[in-house]
């Protein structure tokens, strides 16, 4: 019985995550990163791009694909780039970066 409840909970969580993403999500605006940088996200030709406060692309090629927002995120301070997924959660943007077997989650807060 416990296995059934656990499997049902996992299935419900998966459905909620997939259903939460929509092609009409709007990431445009100013977002403050965890380390205090401001990223300005704009949309061109159906894809989102984010420029940091030094006018460098930090988020690019963000497109709706297979029911998810997928793209690339770059940390210029550390010189690292990774594939990512983005999830809009009210005034928060959850970015999950993937590099090989590892992943890291960042939360950006909308400031405008």
């Amino acid at each position: 019985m416990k296995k059934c409840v656990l499997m049902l909970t996992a299935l419900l969580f998966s459905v909620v995550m997939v259903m939460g993403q929509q092609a009409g999500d709007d990431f445009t605006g100013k977002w403050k990163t965890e380390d205090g940088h401001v990223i300005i996200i704009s949309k061109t030709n159906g894809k989102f791009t984010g420029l940091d406060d030094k006018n460098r692309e930090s988020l690019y090629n963000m497109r709706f694909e297979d029911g998810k927002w997928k793209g690339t995120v770059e940390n210029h301070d550390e010189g690292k780039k990774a594939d990512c997924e983005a999830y809009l959660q009210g005034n928060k943007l959850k970015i999950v970066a993937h590099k090989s077997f590892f992943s890291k989650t960042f939360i950006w807060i909308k400031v405008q």
Side-chain angles (χ1 to χ4, degrees):
M1 180 67 171
K2 287 183 182 181
K3 285 184 182 180
C4 183
V5 170
L6 183 61
M7 287 177 50
L8 185 59
T9 303
L11 178 63
L12 181 61
F13 178 76
S14 298
V15 168
V16 167
M17 288 299 290
V18 170
M19 297 298 286
Q21 299 303 294
Q22 300 175 9
D25 287 340
D26 186 8
F27 302 114
T28 59
K30 291 184 180 180
W31 298 85
K32 189 171 186 178
T33 66
E34 293 172 349
D35 58 0
H37 292 285
V38 174
I39 308 293
I40 300 173
I41 299 178
S42 60
K43 185 176 183 181
T44 306
N45 297 326
K47 295 180 183 178
F48 291 97
T49 300
L51 298 175
D52 70 8
D53 40 14
K54 295 181 181 175
N55 212 28
R56 301 176 293 188
E57 270 191 325
S58 295
L59 182 71
Y60 44 96
N61 199 28
M62 185 63 64
R63 72 238 174 253
F64 196 72
E65 183 178 285
D66 299 328
K68 296 181 182 179
W69 283 101
K70 297 179 181 181
T72 303
V73 65
E74 185 168 353
N75 182 332
H76 296 285
D77 294 339
E78 296 180 15
K80 295 182 180 180
K81 187 186 298 187
D83 293 333
C84 70
E85 296 169 1
Y87 303 93
L88 191 58
Q89 300 173 332
N91 70 334
K92 296 180 182 177
L93 183 59
K94 177 180 171 182
I95 297 177
V96 182
H98 303 281
K99 192 87 167 181
S100 182
F101 296 107
F102 304 100
S103 67
K104 186 172 182 177
T105 300
F106 304 95
I107 303 294
W108 296 355
I109 306 295
K110 191 157 192 175
V111 293
Q112 192 176 29

